[in-house]
Amino acid sequence: GLRKGIFSALSKIKGKRKLDEDELQDMIRSLRRALQEADFNVRQTKELTERLAMKMKEEEIRPGITLQTHAMNILYTELVRLLGPPKEIPPRGQTIMMVGLYGQGKTTTTAKLANWWSTKMQANVAVIEADVHRPGAFSQLSQLLEGTKVSVFGDPESKDAVDIVRRGIEKHSNVDILIIDTAGRHQLDEELVVELKDMSNLVNANERILVIDAQVGQAAGPVAASFNDLVDVTGVIVTKLDGTARGGGALSAVAATGSPILFTGEGENVKDLEKFESDRFISRLLG
Amino acid sequence: MIKEGKALNALLEEIEWAMLESDISSAAVSDVLGLMRGSLIGSRLRKGANLAKVIEATIKRALQSILRADYWDFEATIEKYISEGDKPVIIMLVGVNGTGKTTTTAKIAYKLKNKGYTVVAAASDTFRAGAIEQLEAHMDRLEIKCISSQRGGDSAAIARDAISHAKAKGADVVLVDTAGRMQNKTNLMNELQKVHRVTNPHLVLFVGDALAGNDAVEQAAEFSRVLTFDGAVLSKMDTDAKGGAGLSIAHATGKPIVLVGTGQEYTDLHQFDPEWLLEQLFE
Ligand SMILES: Nc1nc2c(ncn2[C@@H]2O[C@H](COP(=O)(O)OP(=O)(O)OP(=O)(O)O)[C@@H](O)[C@H]2O)c(=O)[nH]1
Ligand SMILES: Nc1nc2c(ncn2[C@@H]2O[C@H](COP(=O)(O)OP(=O)(O)OP(=O)(O)O)[C@@H](O)[C@H]2O)c(=O)[nH]1
Ligand SMILES: [Mg+2]
Ligand SMILES: [Mg+2]
């Protein structure tokens, strides 16, 4: 795991209280390699390790702490800093739009969020299935929310996503929380980009959430940046953390959108949603 | 004369980061660098030779050998089975959640139907919400028979029924679409092994997301270990993905990428061309 990689990197400086330049560079190199395996953005890795090296040189090490522990603490602090302060979404007066690439978990996460607020906060929640491209999307969202108090609006016969959203908003104007699930898309698909812009202008959602799969690699940063350009992302949700993916790409998404991770997806069922905790996320990343 | 030393190390390090940036796994990159170091050190540069070109050629050769290992042509392989009377050809699609298995099943169905083959689909994802509806909708559009049951049904039984139906009708191909699953979930991998035992497929295709980073290695290695697969489909290559995941998968399993998905339409599926991927990576 990354922690093993980091400790082996730091073991090169074990028992030392001061490093010479060559040793420092050697440690930095192995650290970069270890971060890379967790899908950190290559450029972000470079910056992070350079900052670590700088701090190692200028910070006073407290007595009784090895250089190894000191380096680990600096890394941990840097990662927490990168993740930014947490953000809580109040369970009233919300219109939320879910966006992201193909197959990331948007529909599943829409259901999870709706169920979360409906059950935990007794909020009156409605969801709109605005994906007119993927066959079975409306069935998928409806089935996921079976047995809950969440209203599901959609129109499997329609090919007009903007119109579905308009009708859905009209019908559910009095809910506490309205969540709109959109089709997977990429900035290279012009038709879908236009569709998203039109939906976005109509809805004027106060939360625009980017859903990103923990397995996404170096594409995470550029993809998040492009969605940020399109809708000005306000929050990130990382899915499929119950698999083996480390989620290093999620940090790139945070950096590219300037917004915090709100929740994590931990499984396929509607209950498998957790509030984001940076401690847990970082220790899993370093695991 | 290329010598061991600081200059070569610095150069190889820059190349390492470039390869990692294209999403090639750390394991594959370090193997390629090892090969490069071995073939470069002690070799003499011809007078006027461009070191950059020599390096690029060396890397390309190393990557080519990874991608060409055990390479096979999808359509030719299907044709061969059918011409030998070995039908219905049973193809099973596997992979983690959301990588494009169901959409790839539809694309393969379209491709083979256009070649004049009769295809039967098995909706063996009996677990996920809307999964049966999704495949049925695709097969309705393509006018291809789809065997399905109620949600929660037995996935192996559906596959077996589809094969019996295909045999009874003299159909050429059966496509078994399975549910996405994380490879670290033992009970789900056991279920997949059961479907594999019951269907005894001619071909197992691992569908991997081109967007995946190092986890592509974990997924492919475990699916290969538990099931073995014959080839991989690299989906979503029309996105920002550099395609390094294709190298990671081939390197980790010794199995080739045989098909590439380049969009959401039925026509967006092509025989994988290693040269095309290398051109993408190098441009
Ligand atoms: N294991 C696991 N699977 C998940 C998680 N979130 C979503 N999935 C699965 O990932 C697959 C894709 O999820 P969807 O919700 O359909 O993804 P999507 O982004 O709506 O996909 P498109 O609408 O096609 O772009 C499904 O099999 C889900 O069950 C998660 O946190 N863990
Ligand atoms: N752009 C693009 N999208 C693709 C491609 N292949 C699949 N998709 C999309 O990815 C999303 C997920 O595809 P599915 O076929 O449902 O994936 P799956 O592997 O069957 O998902 P699960 O059964 O839930 O594990 C859908 O929105 C597809 O249209 C591709 O090659 N390019
Ligand atoms: Mg969806
Ligand atoms: Mg599927």
Side-chain angles (χ1 to χ4, degrees):
Chain A
L2 180 56
R3 194 190 302 276
K4 189 156 161 286
I6 290 177
F7 261 78
S8 92
L10 299 185
S11 67
K12 299 180 196 268
I13 62 173
K14 193 176 190 164
K16 287 178 171 277
R17 306 226 70 237
K18 224 177 184 324
L19 282 177
D20 66 29
E21 191 55 33
D22 272 351
E23 283 171 323
L24 188 62
Q25 285 314 316
D26 209 27
M27 178 196 85
I28 292 304
R29 203 168 295 124
S30 338
L31 205 61
R32 275 170 75 176
R33 208 155 273 139
L35 286 169
Q36 202 48 50
E37 291 189 358
D39 288 330
F40 261 67
N41 175 276
V42 172
R43 215 143 302 187
Q44 203 174 20
T45 304
K46 196 164 189 292
E47 290 170 9
L48 178 61
T49 50
E50 280 170 1
R51 238 191 332 275
L52 175 63
M54 200 171 68
K55 292 202 173 210
M56 291 288 291
K57 283 193 221 150
E58 66 194 30
E59 279 186 13
E60 268 305 307
I61 306 172
R62 300 212 307 280
I65 294 203
T66 64
L67 208 51
Q68 210 170 356
T69 308
H70 180 63
M72 207 57 186
N73 290 342
I74 295 177
L75 178 64
Y76 193 89
T77 308
E78 276 302 301
L79 290 174
V80 170
R81 195 187 64 82
L82 279 173
L83 286 169
K87 168 169 137 175
E88 180 90 30
I89 295 183
R92 302 282 181 282
Q94 301 294 333
T95 303
I96 302 175
M97 198 164 69
M98 310 289 282
V99 303
L101 285 170
Y102 319 94
Q104 305 289 287
K106 297 175 295 300
T107 304
T108 308
T109 306
T110 298
K112 288 176 179 180
L113 283 174
N115 182 59
W116 174 277
W117 283 309
S118 170
T119 54
K120 290 193 197 286
M121 312 280 175
Q122 279 76 52
N124 181 6
V125 186
V127 297
I128 300 176
E129 185 46 79
D131 181 350
V132 300
H133 305 282
R134 174 165 156 163
F138 181 72
S139 303
Q140 185 183 6
L141 190 55
S142 306
Q143 286 173 23
L144 284 166
L145 289 167
E146 250 164 27
T148 68
K149 297 209 179 93
V150 178
S151 310
V152 181
F153 183 88
D155 183 354
E157 307 293 304
S158 165
K159 284 278 161 247
D160 188 342
V162 180
D163 183 55
I164 290 178
V165 173
R166 182 177 300 120
R167 286 189 278 140
I169 290 177
E170 230 176 77
K171 175 152 199 239
H172 294 289
S173 51
N174 288 334
V175 294
D176 296 322
I177 303 185
L178 182 64
I179 310 178
I180 298 155
D181 181 29
T182 70
R185 74 197 68 226
H186 187 268
Q187 89 243 36
L188 295 174
D189 192 327
E190 293 184 19
E191 196 187 305
L192 291 182
V193 166
V194 170
E195 181 193 81
L196 184 60
K197 286 214 180 115
D198 290 345
M199 272 193 289
S200 184
N201 290 333
L202 171 71
V203 177
N204 226 345
N206 60 305
E207 293 291 344
R208 284 92 50 197
I209 299 181
L210 174 68
V211 177
I212 182 161
D213 186 334
Q215 72 181 292
V216 176
Q218 296 300 310
V223 162
S226 72
F227 274 103
N228 198 41
D229 289 342
L230 283 178
V231 300
D232 183 17
V233 173
T234 59
V236 174
I237 294 182
V238 187
T239 61
K240 310 183 198 172
L241 282 167
D242 51 309
T244 51
R246 311 287 264 297
L251 272 114
S252 309
V254 166
T257 59
S259 34
I261 300 175
L262 303 168
F263 291 92
T264 57
E266 311 273 346
E268 294 197 64
N269 294 311
V270 105
K271 292 193 178 58
D272 297 328
L273 186 75
E274 311 249 350
K275 197 115 197 31
F276 178 71
E277 276 164 27
S278 54
D279 273 7
R280 260 189 75 229
F281 186 78
I282 293 174
S283 77
R284 177 217 161 73
L285 187 70
L286 300 185
Chain B
M1 163 75 127
I2 300 178
K3 284 217 213 66
E4 176 87 76
K6 271 201 174 219
L8 181 67
N9 287 348
L11 173 63
L12 288 179
E13 190 162 320
E14 280 314 304
I15 292 175
E16 176 180 13
W17 296 116
M19 285 201 271
L20 290 172
E21 265 189 312
S22 346
D23 257 335
I24 301 177
S25 68
S26 313
V29 170
S30 85
D31 267 7
V32 171
L33 284 179
L35 278 173
M36 287 201 56
R37 192 180 279 279
S39 70
L40 284 178
I41 292 178
S43 69
R44 302 198 104 82
L45 270 184
R46 289 202 313 279
K47 197 164 191 327
N50 178 346
L51 183 59
K53 293 219 170 210
V54 168
I55 297 212
E56 181 167 321
T58 316
I59 298 177
K60 258 196 179 159
R61 263 201 308 282
L63 298 182
Q64 266 164 356
S65 74
I66 293 173
L67 293 175
R68 285 185 187 155
D70 257 2
Y71 183 78
W72 50 277
D73 185 276
F74 181 75
E75 291 184 37
T77 302
I78 309 286
E79 242 166 87
K80 184 160 189 298
Y81 280 126
I82 292 179
S83 67
E84 293 173 350
D86 188 359
K87 59 180 234 179
V89 182
I90 303 163
I91 305 174
M92 184 174 159
L93 288 96
V94 304
V96 306
N97 304 75
T99 57
K101 298 175 293 301
T102 303
T103 307
T104 303
T105 302
K107 291 174 183 176
I108 292 176
Y110 171 81
K111 184 188 279 295
L112 296 180
K113 180 174 181 192
N114 273 5
K115 294 199 65 168
Y117 298 131
T118 42
V119 181
V120 174
S124 282
D125 180 353
T126 54
F127 167 73
R128 204 205 71 205
I132 297 168
E133 288 82 349
Q134 184 186 7
L135 187 66
E136 280 183 332
H138 278 306
M139 294 304 122
D140 280 348
R141 273 186 216 167
L142 294 170
E143 295 184 342
I144 286 177
K145 178 71 177 168
C146 182
I147 303 293
S148 62
S149 75
Q150 300 281 30
R151 189 179 170 200
D154 182 78
S155 27
I158 304 295
R160 193 182 42 224
D161 289 351
I163 294 169
S164 314
H165 177 91
K167 286 188 172 152
K169 301 287 179 184
D172 300 310
V173 181
V174 176
L175 301 176
V176 181
D177 180 24
T178 67
R181 68 204 68 219
M182 291 305 173
Q183 81 283 359
N184 59 344
K185 300 194 174 167
T186 323
N187 58 330
L188 297 184
M189 295 307 279
N190 287 342
E191 182 206 42
L192 200 59
Q193 277 182 318
K194 176 166 172 236
V195 176
H196 189 264
R197 247 195 333 274
V198 163
T199 57
N200 194 15
H202 294 73
L203 299 169
V204 178
L205 296 176
F206 171 80
V207 182
D209 198 323
L211 293 156
N214 278 284
D215 200 51
V217 173
E218 301 301 311
Q219 297 170 21
E222 186 62 2
F223 270 88
S224 179
R225 187 187 72 82
V226 170
L227 264 197
T228 85
F229 54 83
D230 301 288
V233 180
L234 194 62
S235 69
K236 309 181 198 171
M237 266 305 289
D238 49 306
T239 64
D240 260 328
K242 299 279 170 61
L247 272 152
S248 310
I249 292 168
H251 177 262
T253 62
K255 294 291 155 84
I257 309 296
V258 296
L259 292 170
V260 62
T262 55
Q264 297 185 265
E265 304 302 327
Y266 297 133
T267 47
D268 295 326
L269 185 73
H270 308 284
Q271 177 70 30
F272 175 72
D273 176 4
E275 291 314 312
W276 168 80
L277 179 61
L278 291 179
E279 265 168 52
Q280 288 253 118
L281 289 171
F282 276 97
E283 75 173 27

